Amino acid sequence: EQQKTEEANQALAGALRLKDRLLSIIAHDLRGPFGGQKELIELYSEMPDLTKDDIRHFFAIVKDSSSSLYQLLENLLLWANNQGVNPNFFLPIEQNVVELIDETIVPLRSWANLKNIKITVQAAPQINARVDENMFKTIVRNLISNAIKYSEPGNDICVTLTPNDDEIVITVADQGRGINAELLSSLFQNKEEVLDRSLAENKIGLGLVLCSDFTIRHNGRIWAESEIGKGTKISFTIPLRVNIEC
């Protein structure tokens, strides 16, 4: 009985530490976009004569920043639901994942177009799998958003879907800055360590935590390959013939 109590206390302490780290990342990530918007508004409000190009540039930056804030808040809500707030949150059904990816990319193209980044999807027209639509789209959205964020203007982003006998492998590949070897080796291994590094180095955020959690929820795997200056590939799998417990 005492051992069970100690194990429960340890699990609770671990959950509380994880939540503290996540909240720290949220505060850290929110400060950047909000602070940038504040400084930008102050700068433009002090300019005596604004041209149409100035105004277009202003709204483009504010739109980009607002999109980042919205996605962060959406990720927070999804993460909270995944911690058990809503027991009916995970609802997998069989559907065409290629269509889900296309739908996810549509609202991201305007951001990519601002940086002259081309997003392509390489896949058969129809690949069916049993997935929770919201979770699957969240994984794809976060991986593509990171790819856009860390890509230089004019780069390409490629999303590939490769089905085999047991699973579908979905890969998001960019030509961006890359991830250093030390962070890459532990990116999806030790969540608390990754979150600490994220806060200290501003390398990743809540989005990758969600990608890992939601992939595991589907009984899948997630991993990354990267080289500094050449880009990053992040892949995850969705099983084809595994019964998923809701």
Side-chain angles (χ1 to χ4, degrees):
E1 184 67 30
Q2 183 178 356
Q3 183 178 354
K4 290 182 179 179
T5 302
E6 290 178 356
E7 289 175 355
N9 288 337
Q10 290 176 1
L12 178 60
L16 291 174
R17 286 196 302 271
L18 181 57
K19 286 185 178 181
D20 287 343
R21 284 166 171 79
L22 285 169
L23 290 172
S24 296
I25 290 175
I26 292 162
H28 184 267
D29 287 351
L30 280 173
R31 188 178 295 115
F34 271 125
Q37 281 192 4
K38 178 177 178 292
E39 293 177 3
L40 187 65
I41 291 170
E42 290 175 350
L43 174 64
Y44 274 77
S45 66
E46 294 173 0
M47 295 176 65
D49 299 310
L50 291 176
T51 66
K52 289 184 178 179
D53 287 340
D54 290 333
I55 295 172
R56 289 194 192 96
H57 182 63
F58 170 78
F59 279 112
I61 297 175
V62 171
K63 179 183 177 182
D64 187 12
S65 180
S66 299
S67 297
S68 297
L69 286 168
Y70 180 82
Q71 182 174 336
L72 179 59
L73 293 173
E74 189 175 60
N75 282 340
L76 174 59
L77 177 61
L78 289 167
W79 176 81
N81 277 321
N82 194 46
Q83 303 310 299
V85 175
N86 183 356
N88 298 318
F89 183 62
F90 185 56
L91 300 171
I93 61 172
E94 184 169 333
Q95 49 197 316
N96 184 0
V97 294
V98 181
E99 287 186 355
L100 296 183
I101 289 176
D102 288 338
E103 292 170 5
T104 305
I105 291 175
V106 169
L108 296 174
R109 287 199 185 277
S110 59
W111 181 19
N113 289 339
L114 286 173
K115 299 180 69 174
N116 194 29
I117 292 172
K118 183 181 179 182
I119 304 174
T120 58
V121 178
Q122 296 181 357
Q126 182 165 343
I127 302 175
N128 288 354
R130 190 165 175 250
V131 298
D132 178 286
E133 180 174 338
N134 288 329
M135 284 192 179
F136 183 82
K137 285 185 173 181
T138 297
I139 298 170
V140 175
R141 181 172 61 250
N142 276 290
L143 295 183
I144 295 177
S145 294
N146 277 350
I148 296 172
K149 181 178 180 180
Y150 294 110
S151 290
E152 298 297 330
N155 285 169
D156 292 336
I157 295 171
C158 184
V159 183
T160 59
L161 288 83
T162 308
N164 56 39
D165 292 337
D166 304 312
E167 61 191 8
I168 305 168
V169 181
I170 298 105
T171 300
V172 177
D174 65 53
Q175 301 170 328
R177 307 172 192 172
I179 303 171
N180 70 65
E182 183 182 3
L183 180 60
L184 186 68
S185 65
S186 61
L187 200 58
F188 300 111
Q189 293 178 6
N190 186 323
K191 189 178 296 184
E192 291 190 9
E193 179 182 348
V194 168
L195 291 175
D196 283 339
R197 293 187 183 189
S198 171
L199 182 60
E201 302 175 17
N202 196 26
K203 294 292 184 183
I204 62 169
L206 183 58
L208 284 186
V209 174
L210 280 170
C211 290
S212 179
D213 284 351
F214 289 177
T215 300
I216 292 171
R217 195 75 181 269
H218 283 86
N219 290 336
R221 300 171 292 117
I222 187 167
W223 68 95
E225 305 167 73
S226 187
E227 189 173 346
I228 295 296
K230 293 189 176 180
T232 300
K233 293 181 180 180
I234 298 185
S235 303
F236 69 99
T237 65
I238 298 293
L240 289 174
R241 294 183 176 88
V242 175
N243 290 327
I244 302 172
E245 295 182 0
C246 299

PDB file of all heavy atoms in Angstrom, residues 80-93:
ATOM      1  N   ALA A  80      -4.254  20.511 -23.121  1.00  0.00           N
ATOM      2  CA  ALA A  80      -5.051  20.366 -21.904  1.00  0.00           C
ATOM      3  C   ALA A  80      -6.076  19.247 -22.069  1.00  0.00           C
ATOM      4  O   ALA A  80      -6.265  18.422 -21.169  1.00  0.00           O
ATOM      5  CB  ALA A  80      -5.744  21.682 -21.568  1.00  0.00           C
ATOM      6  N   ASN A  81      -6.732  19.194 -23.218  1.00  0.00           N
ATOM      7  CA  ASN A  81      -7.693  18.123 -23.468  1.00  0.00           C
ATOM      8  C   ASN A  81      -7.012  16.760 -23.444  1.00  0.00           C
ATOM      9  O   ASN A  81      -7.573  15.779 -22.952  1.00  0.00           O
ATOM     10  CB  ASN A  81      -8.378  18.329 -24.825  1.00  0.00           C
ATOM     11  CG  ASN A  81      -9.538  19.302 -24.747  1.00  0.00           C
ATOM     12  OD1 ASN A  81     -10.292  19.287 -23.780  1.00  0.00           O
ATOM     13  ND2 ASN A  81      -9.680  20.145 -25.744  1.00  0.00           N
ATOM     14  N   ASN A  82      -5.797  16.705 -23.965  1.00  0.00           N
ATOM     15  CA  ASN A  82      -5.077  15.433 -24.032  1.00  0.00           C
ATOM     16  C   ASN A  82      -4.624  14.940 -22.670  1.00  0.00           C
ATOM     17  O   ASN A  82      -4.303  13.772 -22.499  1.00  0.00           O
ATOM     18  CB  ASN A  82      -3.857  15.573 -24.950  1.00  0.00           C
ATOM     19  CG  ASN A  82      -3.267  14.234 -25.325  1.00  0.00           C
ATOM     20  OD1 ASN A  82      -3.996  13.316 -25.696  1.00  0.00           O
ATOM     21  ND2 ASN A  82      -1.963  14.099 -25.222  1.00  0.00           N
ATOM     22  N   GLN A  83      -4.603  15.838 -21.668  1.00  0.00           N
ATOM     23  CA  GLN A  83      -4.199  15.430 -20.325  1.00  0.00           C
ATOM     24  C   GLN A  83      -5.342  14.802 -19.534  1.00  0.00           C
ATOM     25  O   GLN A  83      -5.191  14.470 -18.374  1.00  0.00           O
ATOM     26  CB  GLN A  83      -3.631  16.629 -19.552  1.00  0.00           C
ATOM     27  CG  GLN A  83      -2.472  17.311 -20.229  1.00  0.00           C
ATOM     28  CD  GLN A  83      -1.406  16.330 -20.656  1.00  0.00           C
ATOM     29  OE1 GLN A  83      -0.825  15.644 -19.826  1.00  0.00           O
ATOM     30  NE2 GLN A  83      -1.141  16.250 -21.953  1.00  0.00           N
ATOM     31  N   GLY A  84      -6.508  14.670 -20.163  1.00  0.00           N
ATOM     32  CA  GLY A  84      -7.594  13.989 -19.485  1.00  0.00           C
ATOM     33  C   GLY A  84      -8.749  14.880 -19.114  1.00  0.00           C
ATOM     34  O   GLY A  84      -9.701  14.437 -18.476  1.00  0.00           O
ATOM     35  N   VAL A  85      -8.693  16.172 -19.514  1.00  0.00           N
ATOM     36  CA  VAL A  85      -9.795  17.077 -19.216  1.00  0.00           C
ATOM     37  C   VAL A  85     -11.067  16.610 -19.905  1.00  0.00           C
ATOM     38  O   VAL A  85     -12.160  16.671 -19.374  1.00  0.00           O
ATOM     39  CB  VAL A  85      -9.430  18.514 -19.666  1.00  0.00           C
ATOM     40  CG1 VAL A  85     -10.616  19.448 -19.484  1.00  0.00           C
ATOM     41  CG2 VAL A  85      -8.230  19.016 -18.872  1.00  0.00           C
ATOM     42  N   ASN A  86     -10.914  16.101 -21.127  1.00  0.00           N
ATOM     43  CA  ASN A  86     -12.061  15.637 -21.908  1.00  0.00           C
ATOM     44  C   ASN A  86     -11.845  14.185 -22.317  1.00  0.00           C
ATOM     45  O   ASN A  86     -11.064  13.894 -23.227  1.00  0.00           O
ATOM     46  CB  ASN A  86     -12.235  16.517 -23.155  1.00  0.00           C
ATOM     47  CG  ASN A  86     -13.461  16.127 -23.972  1.00  0.00           C
ATOM     48  OD1 ASN A  86     -14.144  15.153 -23.666  1.00  0.00           O
ATOM     49  ND2 ASN A  86     -13.732  16.892 -25.016  1.00  0.00           N
ATOM     50  N   PRO A  87     -12.511  13.223 -21.661  1.00  0.00           N
ATOM     51  CA  PRO A  87     -12.277  11.805 -21.966  1.00  0.00           C
ATOM     52  C   PRO A  87     -12.713  11.406 -23.363  1.00  0.00           C
ATOM     53  O   PRO A  87     -12.307  10.366 -23.861  1.00  0.00           O
ATOM     54  CB  PRO A  87     -13.115  11.078 -20.904  1.00  0.00           C
ATOM     55  CG  PRO A  87     -14.168  12.068 -20.505  1.00  0.00           C
ATOM     56  CD  PRO A  87     -13.517  13.410 -20.623  1.00  0.00           C
ATOM     57  N   ASN A  88     -13.564  12.192 -24.024  1.00  0.00           N
ATOM     58  CA  ASN A  88     -14.028  11.874 -25.379  1.00  0.00           C
ATOM     59  C   ASN A  88     -13.236  12.619 -26.444  1.00  0.00           C
ATOM     60  O   ASN A  88     -13.677  12.730 -27.585  1.00  0.00           O
ATOM     61  CB  ASN A  88     -15.520  12.220 -25.510  1.00  0.00           C
ATOM     62  CG  ASN A  88     -16.373  11.397 -24.559  1.00  0.00           C
ATOM     63  OD1 ASN A  88     -16.153  10.208 -24.384  1.00  0.00           O
ATOM     64  ND2 ASN A  88     -17.333  12.044 -23.921  1.00  0.00           N
ATOM     65  N   PHE A  89     -12.057  13.112 -26.074  1.00  0.00           N
ATOM     66  CA  PHE A  89     -11.279  13.938 -26.994  1.00  0.00           C
ATOM     67  C   PHE A  89     -10.707  13.123 -28.148  1.00  0.00           C
ATOM     68  O   PHE A  89     -10.550  13.627 -29.243  1.00  0.00           O
ATOM     69  CB  PHE A  89     -10.156  14.616 -26.207  1.00  0.00           C
ATOM     70  CG  PHE A  89      -9.309  15.550 -27.022  1.00  0.00           C
ATOM     71  CD1 PHE A  89      -9.862  16.676 -27.612  1.00  0.00           C
ATOM     72  CD2 PHE A  89      -7.961  15.310 -27.193  1.00  0.00           C
ATOM     73  CE1 PHE A  89      -9.087  17.538 -28.366  1.00  0.00           C
ATOM     74  CE2 PHE A  89      -7.178  16.171 -27.942  1.00  0.00           C
ATOM     75  CZ  PHE A  89      -7.744  17.281 -28.527  1.00  0.00           C
ATOM     76  N   PHE A  90     -10.369  11.855 -27.910  1.00  0.00           N
ATOM     77  CA  PHE A  90      -9.727  11.013 -28.916  1.00  0.00           C
ATOM     78  C   PHE A  90     -10.777  10.179 -29.637  1.00  0.00           C
ATOM     79  O   PHE A  90     -11.343   9.242 -29.075  1.00  0.00           O
ATOM     80  CB  PHE A  90      -8.700  10.105 -28.228  1.00  0.00           C
ATOM     81  CG  PHE A  90      -7.890   9.280 -29.181  1.00  0.00           C
ATOM     82  CD1 PHE A  90      -7.156   9.870 -30.198  1.00  0.00           C
ATOM     83  CD2 PHE A  90      -7.845   7.895 -29.045  1.00  0.00           C
ATOM     84  CE1 PHE A  90      -6.405   9.099 -31.069  1.00  0.00           C
ATOM     85  CE2 PHE A  90      -7.089   7.115 -29.909  1.00  0.00           C
ATOM     86  CZ  PHE A  90      -6.366   7.723 -30.925  1.00  0.00           C
ATOM     87  N   LEU A  91     -11.061  10.535 -30.907  1.00  0.00           N
ATOM     88  CA  LEU A  91     -12.126   9.878 -31.667  1.00  0.00           C
ATOM     89  C   LEU A  91     -11.620   9.490 -33.051  1.00  0.00           C
ATOM     90  O   LEU A  91     -11.889  10.170 -34.051  1.00  0.00           O
ATOM     91  CB  LEU A  91     -13.339  10.815 -31.789  1.00  0.00           C
ATOM     92  CG  LEU A  91     -13.987  11.268 -30.480  1.00  0.00           C
ATOM     93  CD1 LEU A  91     -15.018  12.362 -30.747  1.00  0.00           C
ATOM     94  CD2 LEU A  91     -14.641  10.078 -29.781  1.00  0.00           C
ATOM     95  N   PRO A  92     -10.864   8.390 -33.154  1.00  0.00           N
ATOM     96  CA  PRO A  92     -10.325   7.983 -34.457  1.00  0.00           C
ATOM     97  C   PRO A  92     -11.370   7.307 -35.334  1.00  0.00           C
ATOM     98  O   PRO A  92     -12.156   6.485 -34.864  1.00  0.00           O
ATOM     99  CB  PRO A  92      -9.220   6.991 -34.076  1.00  0.00           C
ATOM    100  CG  PRO A  92      -9.669   6.419 -32.764  1.00  0.00           C
ATOM    101  CD  PRO A  92     -10.403   7.525 -32.051  1.00  0.00           C
ATOM    102  N   ILE A  93     -11.378   7.672 -36.623  1.00  0.00           N
ATOM    103  CA  ILE A  93     -12.219   7.005 -37.616  1.00  0.00           C
ATOM    104  C   ILE A  93     -11.394   6.844 -38.890  1.00  0.00           C
ATOM    105  O   ILE A  93     -10.428   7.581 -39.115  1.00  0.00           O
ATOM    106  CB  ILE A  93     -13.514   7.794 -37.927  1.00  0.00           C
ATOM    107  CG1 ILE A  93     -13.176   9.183 -38.492  1.00  0.00           C
ATOM    108  CG2 ILE A  93     -14.403   7.909 -36.700  1.00  0.00           C
ATOM    109  CD1 ILE A  93     -14.393   9.936 -38.992  1.00  0.00           C
TER     110      ILE A  93
END
